[in-house]
Amino acid sequence: MAFELPPLPYAENALDPHISAKTLQFHHGKHHNAYVTNLNNLVKDTPMASASLEDIIKGVAGDAAKAGIFNNAAQTWNHTFFWNSMKPQGGGAPTGEIAKRIDKDFGDYAKFAAEFKQAAATQFGSGWAWLVLDGGKLKVVKTANADLPLAHKQTALLTLDVWEHAYYLDYQNRRPDFIQAYLDHLVNWDFANKNLG
Ligand code: MN3
């Protein structure tokens, strides 16, 4: 069965004004959709067509001859994960187990937020900022282009897309304002808690 574009977990205007309906229409309806379509075309009539997205990503990571499959499979996975990393009226200080783990591994929420902002702002060009679990410890990491924690034996807990298409319609060149809005108004800590397992 072909891979499908999952619906957004909220209405297109639900994250407004921090992320506009217009941005979500393009970002989900055009960009995310194109990765799914490209992936289906690339794996058609191969054993990968019936594999899980995660198995495809792990199977082709680091294989230069399969970079196109990796990029489109990873971007399909990354965007679904990104939509779920946000919710309307989200953001602010964490709750539940993730709050305790952030205090333990970063010192406090403010130190985590500063590290996350730095990673997201300094990812040169296109990429992603992540909160991950790495060997039992929380870490902030950034990845370039389609790269993702799964390719580095890390468990993703939250992500922020810092490709220009994620914020240009709403923030133009002001990536730091987009990062701040994500932290203050959008982060879905329930999703991070669920990903802690
Ligand atoms: Mn994107």
Side-chain angles (χ1 to χ4, degrees):
M1 202 182 109
F3 293 100
E4 287 178 11
L5 178 70
L8 285 171
Y10 30 72
E12 270 180 350
N13 64 357
L15 306 183
D16 193 75
H18 312 295
I19 297 180
S20 66
K22 187 161 191 183
T23 289
L24 284 182
Q25 276 162 20
F26 277 95
H27 199 176
H28 175 257
K30 304 289 184 191
H31 292 272
H32 192 183
N33 191 48
Y35 296 125
V36 176
T37 302
N38 292 342
L39 176 63
N40 281 325
N41 288 335
L42 287 163
V43 301
K44 195 166 177 272
D45 302 324
T46 78
M48 279 186 274
S50 55
S52 73
L53 207 45
E54 289 82 359
D55 283 346
I56 293 176
I57 291 166
K58 285 187 279 188
V60 302
D63 182 346
K66 298 203 168 82
I69 295 173
F70 177 81
N71 287 336
N72 285 286
Q75 285 292 77
T76 296
W77 192 95
N78 289 345
H79 282 88
T80 302
F81 196 82
F82 176 45
W83 310 135
N84 285 291
S85 292
M86 302 184 289
K87 66 173 188 180
Q89 283 89 49
T95 52
E97 180 63 20
I98 194 78
K100 292 180 207 156
R101 301 288 293 266
I102 282 176
D103 286 347
K104 178 168 164 276
D105 292 336
F106 293 95
D108 58 27
Y109 170 73
K111 291 200 182 80
F112 155 76
E115 201 174 315
F116 190 91
K117 272 188 273 190
Q118 173 75 6
T122 60
Q123 170 52 40
F124 185 76
S126 297
W128 301 80
W130 306 83
L131 175 63
V132 303
L133 199 53
D134 184 0
K137 199 171 185 293
L138 295 192
K139 277 186 192 164
V140 166
V141 298
K142 55 185 176 176
T143 60
N145 301 319
D147 196 17
L148 73 174
L150 185 62
H152 303 277
K153 299 189 167 59
Q154 297 165 332
T155 302
L157 303 177
L158 283 176
T159 195
L160 174 61
D161 188 342
V162 295
W163 286 56
E164 268 188 0
H165 67 226
Y167 59 87
Y168 209 83
L169 292 176
D170 299 325
Y171 298 88
Q172 294 77 49
N173 62 321
R174 292 174 286 112
R175 190 195 285 187
D177 292 356
F178 172 57
I179 300 164
Q180 193 67 52
Y182 171 83
L183 288 170
D184 291 347
H185 302 288
L186 298 173
V187 169
N188 184 347
W189 291 114
D190 299 334
F191 182 64
N193 274 312
K194 203 178 84 184
N195 292 326
L196 269 180

